[in-house]
Amino acid sequence: RNDVTYGCPGATSATHGCVSRLSNVSAVPAVLTQRRTAAVVVTGYDALGRKREYGGEAGGIVATIRKLDGGNDVQTATVEDLGTGNYVVSFAPGRAGRYAFSVAFWGDDADDHYTEFRVNPKTALADDFAVLADLSLPVGGLRKICSSLPMLLR
């Protein structure tokens, strides 16, 4: 994207270019939990190593999460511009397994620099289930609830 046709909107002058692969990407945790959102901070630096002081380049940052085992599952992360030259990259892997996380800046090829992490299955908690009947009811009360269940499900 960073060519004559598609210049980055974050460039403020000829001496302060676009956010580049010299940017700092905070570490991805080694182990995540399935369907839980993780966040990584990207601190923008241009190709000359100068810190970007302004935002405006979220469209030029593409973060991807690729499943490494069992399929070709690839998802794009959400990039939020903080307006300070920093960006928050958020993602929530949907399945357990091994993944690769990579960030590309303005069309760079990110496949040669990625971080691997593992996603564990979500553990079921008591909050994940709804109690439909109180089993301490007398047997007649439980029969009444069970007999009216088909009518409630219509």
Side-chain angles (χ1 to χ4, degrees), residues 25-100:
V25 179
S26 66
V28 176
V31 180
L32 299 173
T33 303
Q34 180 181 6
R35 293 190 298 272
R36 303 275 171 146
T37 302
V40 173
V41 176
V42 174
T43 303
Y45 285 85
D46 66 17
L48 298 176
R50 292 180 296 235
K51 167 82 170 81
R52 299 291 295 142
E53 301 297 327
Y54 306 99
E57 298 184 59
I61 300 171
V62 178
T64 56
I65 297 89
R66 182 172 36 96
K67 192 154 178 16
L68 296 175
D69 53 359
N72 193 16
D73 185 16
V74 177
Q75 74 183 85
T76 303
T78 302
V79 179
E80 178 186 355
D81 187 346
L82 299 179
T84 60
N86 296 323
Y87 302 84
V88 175
V89 177
S90 304
F91 58 95
R95 296 187 313 175
R98 286 181 39 247
Y99 285 81

Side-chain angles (χ1 to χ4, degrees), residues 116-127:
E116 286 190 32
F117 63 95
R118 188 177 75 242
V119 175
N120 288 337
K122 182 179 175 195
T123 304
L125 302 172
D127 295 353

Side-chain angles (χ1 to χ4, degrees), residues 2-20:
N2 192 13
D3 58 20
V4 176
T5 308
Y6 300 102
C8 78
T12 54
S13 71
T15 60
H16 285 81
C18 300
V19 53
S20 73

Side-chain angles (χ1 to χ4, degrees), residues 103-128:
V103 180
F105 300 96
W106 292 105
D108 272 348
D109 184 17
D111 286 339
D112 60 342
H113 48 281
Y114 62 89
T115 302
E116 286 190 32
F117 63 95
R118 188 177 75 242
V119 175
N120 288 337
K122 182 179 175 195
T123 304
L125 302 172
D127 295 353
D128 294 332

